[in-house]
Amino acid sequence: MLLLVSFLLAVHFAVAQQCYRLSLNKGYPSKIFVALGLIPYFNLVVWVYLLFLPDLSNARKFEQPL
């Protein structure tokens, strides 16, 4: 049982780390996505959400100044 719990915790923190990495790479606030990624059973939803969000750092290059 201890092995199962430790495996689930390791996977849980790995997904939270991936949420942090993706949010930094795409230009989104990392603290919000890490906090959402640390919520159990919600972290996979946040991770998939980040996978499909557009890259904000590239979007700012294409905006036209007013």
Side-chain angles (χ1 to χ4, degrees):
M1 186 68 176
L2 180 62
L3 184 63
L4 176 66
V5 170
S6 60
F7 175 72
L8 289 175
L9 280 174
V11 169
H12 180 73
F13 286 117
V15 171
Q17 191 270 337
Q18 288 295 323
C19 290
Y20 175 74
R21 188 183 59 82
L22 276 173
S23 63
L24 280 181
N25 287 344
K26 291 192 172 193
Y28 290 99
S30 60
K31 291 179 183 178
I32 292 173
F33 282 102
V34 169
L36 292 174
L38 286 173
I39 300 171
Y41 302 111
F42 191 63
N43 58 0
L44 291 176
V45 174
V46 173
W47 188 23
V48 171
Y49 185 68
L50 273 170
L51 288 174
F52 291 109
L53 279 175
D55 193 359
L56 286 182
S57 58
N58 288 339
R60 291 184 183 132
K61 294 177 187 175
F62 296 115
E63 289 181 0
Q64 296 178 1
L66 296 176

